[in-house]
Structure formats: C-alpha cells, structure tokens
C-alpha cells in the first residue's frame, strides 16, 4: 500500500520510521517532510492546507492511506475531504476534531457524559468572565477556546493575572481562538499523557508518556512545545490505565458517537493525576511531539496495520504490544528558542549520535544545503535513548548527545528527573 504522511517534525520522522518497517508498505510519500524523513520517503509536492491538492495527489499516486500528523488540517476537515473522495485517512473528521479545536466543546462533553475534569464556565465577554474569576479566586486557569499553537492557556496565580489574560484574549491576542474563553479550576497532581487508538466505536490503550514543557532546567522559563519526554509514565500503572480508559476515553467515544461525530484516530488525553484519580486537562486529536518519539520505538506490532484498522473502523480485540523497555527523548533546540531561534547553524556528527548504543535520532527543523545539514527552526532534532529503565534510557540519550556537534543548539540536561526521583 502507498502511504502519504503529512508533517515535518520529529513526530512525523518517528511515524515514518515505524511505517517504513511495515510489511504492508509499498511506497511512503511525505509532505513537506525534512531531510531525516526524506531518507525514508519520497517528498510529495502537496500541502496539508490544500485539500483538493492532497486528494489529487492521492489519486495520481495510488495512495491507500493518508496519515495526518498535525492538528490544524484535522480541525479544518482534511480527513472529511479525503473520505469524500474515497481515500482512507488516519485521524478524526472535522466534527470529531472539535475535541482539540474547541476547549468549550470538550468541557461541555465532559459535563454531559460525566467525564472527570476541572470545574469550568465558558464566556463570550470579558465582564462576565471577570465576575466569575472574582467569585472563584486564584489560582485559576484561563483558556482561549480555539487552537492557539499551544499558547492559549494561562495558569493565573492571582485574580489580576486572570483578568489580564481574559482582557488579552477578548482583545484578540489569539485571534479568533480567543472569541470564546473557558475559565476553569486549577488542578493539583502529577501531569501525564495517555494515548488511545480509536476506530469510531472502540478504543484501546496505546501508551503513556510524560513531557517537559518549560524551556529551562528545573521546569523554569517559558512554555514550549516540549523539551523532552519519556515513556511509559510511571504514574500510569496498569490499574490507572484501566481507570483512564473507563472514566475518560470510553465515555468520550460513546459521547462522540451519540453526537453523530464518532472519533477515529489517536486520542491524546492530557491528564492530571490527583488524590481522587485522573482528571482530563485537555484532549489532542493526533500523536504528541515529542511523545511519539518515545512511544513508537517501544511498539512491537505493525504501526501501519493499526493506523489502517483505526481508519477502517476495525481495531483488533487485543491492545497493541509495547515492550517493557523505557524510552527517553531530548529535544535539541536552536539557541533563542522559543522566541527567536537562531537559524542556519551547522549540525555535524549526527551519524555518530545515531550509532551510539541504544540511541535513535529524529529530525525536525533541519534543512540540507548541499551536503551540509543546517538548523531551520526552533525545534531542531531529537535524540532518543532506549533502555531497561528510564535511568538507562536517559543515560543512553545523553551519551549519544555528547557526539553531537551543533554549536548553535542547546538542550535540557534534566529530562526525566521526576521519573528518576521515584527510584
Ligand atoms: P494545555 O495547553 O491545555 O496543555 O495547557 C498547558 C498546561 O497548562 C498544561 O500542560 C498544564 O500544565 C497547565 N494546565 C492547564 N489546565 C490546567 C488546570 N486546570 N489546572 C492546572 N494546570 C493546568
Ligand atoms: N507535546 C505536546 C503536544 O504534542 O501537544
């Protein structure tokens, strides 16, 4: 089968590596891809933003399955466009992608189907949002309803900070994403990410992970797309996984089917695990970046067969097999990330990094200039270690990174500290 993979990050490089191993694969196409993915796939001259272009390419190239990496084309309805043309796609329809595209939609689904989440209210104007914040007090969390590239959430320590966030959102700081605002209670506990594969009616657990969102060591500095991650998340043991399926994932699948928007694809639940169990912070409707880089190396089954089963509404009865090994990935970013990453820095030594024992390299913001590999974005590449424990995986990732020659780059040296502290 021919596959078209859409995206260009470390997540898509990890997806390309796993799909490449499938006996079902004939040709792998990618758009736009990156130099790392290009070593495994043929670059397709299409853009995920151009639905008609994707459909035309798939017809011409005989693509049997489109795999959509990022949320923006899913929320815009790319899967609907493919399916209307008779082309299978992995990912939710536009209606089902509201689980990521509208925080208010998800909160209302939680309320209606008794899914545990923070208490909330939704507002269309600043005055009533401010009045609610003053009644509730701080800390409190203010969220732009729509997609805001990971920036639309403000955890406010004071009522004044919450009011400032509300003002900024209604003044258009996040464009139309902030036309509606969700205000919710601050949750205490340990954060973890949980991924389930879904075929519209059934869901099965895939894997768990934890990431580090802040740019600086010790969880300091600005929020980023994630500076590193590891899988599995120690806080999600088998009993907790069963509970998350029963209390959060399965009611969501039933609710979406009842609303006429059955969910197909991967459901990524951001959770707060507190004293009284798991609560939903948010859903994403695609694989995580960098979580994918630590989950897929642990997968022992054929990823492509699983993606196809989700798209065709026929997930197998038994959950996929993941190894007991741990994986830990370190995001290498360009100095200045996230505000003003320095572009164009030379990257050398990647072959030695990848040859280091138990290490894998995925590329993200890179480009080739002749033979030279250069940085071309904030999140440049990921180095993943695999080992019997998180500690061993971490040792392998950092040992491999010693071979990297990229003067303009930086990375956190404390990825996985929370898992290591547990012992
Ligand atoms: P999100 O963009 O929804 O992932 O939110 C970004 C981060 O804000 C999350 O990873 C949490 O650390 C934090 N956060 C969001 N909602 C809450 C909440 N209700 N209570 C505590 N922290 C939250
Ligand atoms: N690492 C978080 C995300 O992919 O949204």
């Amino acid at each position: 089968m021919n596959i078209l993979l859409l995206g260009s990050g470390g997540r898509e490089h990890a997806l390309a590596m796993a799909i490449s191993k499938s006996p079902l694969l004939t040709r792998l196409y990618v758009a736009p891809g990156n130099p790392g993915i290009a070593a495994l796939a043929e670059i397709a001259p299409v853009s995920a933003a151009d639905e008609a272009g994707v459909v035309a390419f798939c017809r011409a190239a005989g693509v049997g399955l489109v795999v959509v990496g990022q949320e923006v084309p899913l929320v815009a309805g790319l899967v609907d466009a493919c399916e209307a043309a008779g082309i299978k796609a992995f990912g939710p329809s536009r209606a089902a992608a509201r689980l990521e595209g509208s925080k208010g939609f998800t909160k209302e689904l939680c309320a209606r189907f008794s899914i545990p989440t923070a208490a909330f209210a939704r507002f269309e104007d600043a005055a009533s949002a401010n009045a609610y914040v003053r009644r509730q007090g701080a800390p409190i969390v203010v969220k732009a309803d729509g997609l805001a590239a990971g920036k639309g959430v403000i955890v406010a320590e004071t009522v004044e900070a919450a009011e400032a966030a509300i003002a900024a959102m209604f003044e258009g700081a996040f464009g139309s994403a902030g036309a509606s605002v969700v205000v919710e209670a601050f949750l205490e506990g340990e954060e973890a990410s949980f991924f389930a594969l879904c075929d519209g009616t059934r869901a099965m657990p895939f894997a768990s992970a934890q990431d580090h969102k802040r740019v600086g060591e010790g969880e300091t500095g600005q929020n980023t797309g994630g500076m590193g991650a590891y899988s599995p998340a120690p806080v999600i043991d088998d009993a907790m996984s069963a509970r998350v399926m029963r209390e959060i994932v399965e009611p969501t699948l039933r609710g979406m089917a009842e609303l006429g928007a059955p969910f197909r694809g991967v459901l990524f639940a951001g959770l707060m695990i507190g004293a009284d169990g798991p609560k939903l912070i948010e859903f994403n409707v695609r694989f995580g970046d960098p979580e994918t880089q630590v989950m897929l190396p642990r997968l022992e089954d054929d990823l492509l067969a699983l993606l196809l089963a989700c798209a065709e509404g026929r997930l197998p009865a038994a959950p996929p097999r993941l190894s007991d090994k741990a994986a830990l990935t370190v995001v290498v970013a360009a100095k200045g990330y996230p505000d003003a990453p320095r572009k164009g820095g030379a990257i050398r030594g990647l072959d030695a990094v990848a040859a280091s024992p138990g290490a894998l390299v995925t590329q993200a913001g890179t480009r080739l200039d002749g033979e030279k590999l250069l940085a071309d974005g904030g999140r440049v590449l990921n180095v993943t270690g695999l080992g019997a424990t998180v500690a061993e995986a971490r040792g392998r990732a950092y040992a491999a990174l010693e071979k990297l020659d990229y003067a303009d780059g930086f990375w956190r040296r404390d990825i996985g500290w929370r898992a290591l502290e547990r012992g």
Side-chain angles (χ1 to χ4, degrees):
M1 172 178 281
N2 295 342
I3 305 297
L4 173 63
L5 172 64
L6 295 170
S8 64
R11 163 181 53 204
E12 286 78 14
H13 194 172
L15 285 164
M17 284 174 166
I19 291 170
S20 299
K21 288 193 232 150
S22 173
L24 300 175
L25 182 70
T26 312
R27 294 173 91 145
L28 178 58
Y29 296 100
V30 66
N34 65 41
I37 306 176
L40 303 168
E42 295 169 52
I43 304 290
V46 291
S47 155
D50 171 14
E51 293 175 2
V54 168
V55 166
F57 176 82
C58 289
R59 285 200 172 123
V63 167
L65 182 74
V66 181
V67 179
V68 187
Q70 319 109 295
E71 63 275 17
V72 171
L74 293 169
V75 170
L78 179 59
V79 168
D80 309 62
C82 290
E83 287 180 351
I87 298 156
K88 287 176 197 151
F90 175 79
S93 67
R94 177 186 169 130
R98 283 179 294 172
L99 286 175
E100 179 164 359
S102 168
K103 295 198 183 333
F105 172 82
T106 296
K107 297 299 287 191
E108 279 154 20
L109 181 94
C110 289
R112 182 161 161 194
F113 295 96
S114 305
I115 297 161
T117 189
F120 79 103
R122 186 178 185 174
F123 300 97
E124 317 292 324
D125 71 278
S128 28
N130 288 337
Y132 179 81
V133 163
R134 284 194 289 266
R135 278 202 304 281
Q136 300 294 316
I140 195 156
V141 184
V142 179
K143 302 185 171 185
D145 181 72
L147 291 185
K151 298 195 178 77
V153 174
I154 281 96
V155 178
E157 304 289 345
T158 61
V159 167
E160 293 69 37
E163 288 181 338
I166 289 165
M169 285 181 192
F170 284 114
E171 279 158 20
F174 302 104
S176 61
S180 175
V181 166
V182 168
V183 182
E184 67 178 37
F186 177 80
L187 296 172
E188 313 247 11
E190 184 168 347
E191 270 189 81
S193 301
F194 184 90
F195 295 77
L197 294 176
C198 306
D199 72 358
T201 50
R202 292 171 48 246
M204 55 182 42
F206 185 68
S208 65
Q210 277 178 301
D211 74 345
H212 296 262
K213 287 204 168 62
R214 302 294 196 94
V215 72
E217 284 162 19
E219 313 313 323
T220 55
Q222 278 177 280
N223 257 321
T224 70
M227 295 301 292
Y230 48 94
S231 174
V235 67
I236 311 237
D237 58 13
D238 288 348
M240 184 56 71
S241 167
R243 204 169 158 189
V244 171
M245 288 300 291
R246 194 169 63 239
E247 296 180 12
I248 295 177
V249 175
E250 283 161 8
T252 298
L253 266 260
R254 281 198 298 275
M256 293 303 285
E258 200 174 308
L259 296 178
F263 185 88
R264 270 188 236 109
V266 59
L267 189 62
F268 165 178
L271 303 172
M272 191 69 86
I273 313 292
D276 55 348
K279 287 202 166 74
L280 180 71
I281 296 177
E282 62 159 6
F283 278 132
N284 297 305
V285 298
R286 33 80 192 169
F287 282 108
D289 190 337
E291 290 86 346
T292 307
Q293 292 88 310
V294 287
M295 297 193 302
L296 294 185
R298 299 181 50 229
L299 178 65
E300 290 175 339
D301 285 330
D302 179 359
L303 178 70
L304 183 49
L306 288 165
L307 302 182
L308 201 56
C310 289
E312 292 178 344
R314 49 160 194 86
L315 267 179
R321 288 172 305 147
L322 272 90
S323 81
D324 291 334
K325 279 192 183 158
L328 180 143
T329 195
V330 180
V331 172
V332 175
K335 282 182 184 160
Y337 176 75
D339 280 339
R342 214 180 280 173
K343 282 198 181 182
I347 303 162
R348 296 184 207 91
L350 267 197
D351 289 343
V353 177
S356 186
L360 284 166
V361 174
T362 40
Q363 295 187 33
T366 55
R367 76 180 166 87
L368 277 173
D369 178 13
E371 299 271 282
K372 280 190 288 190
L373 189 66
L374 304 179
D376 195 33
R379 304 164 66 71
V380 176
L381 57 94
N382 322 116
V383 176
T384 305
L386 273 166
T389 59
V390 173
E392 190 177 58
R394 166 172 150 139
R396 288 180 168 165
Y398 283 115
L401 271 162
E402 280 176 22
K403 309 200 165 100
L404 181 66
D405 174 5
Y406 170 35
D408 272 352
F410 76 97
W411 56 90
R412 278 180 59 168
R413 318 234 163 210
D414 64 345
I415 301 303
W417 65 266
R418 201 177 270 110
L420 266 65
E421 260 180 17
R422 284 177 165 249

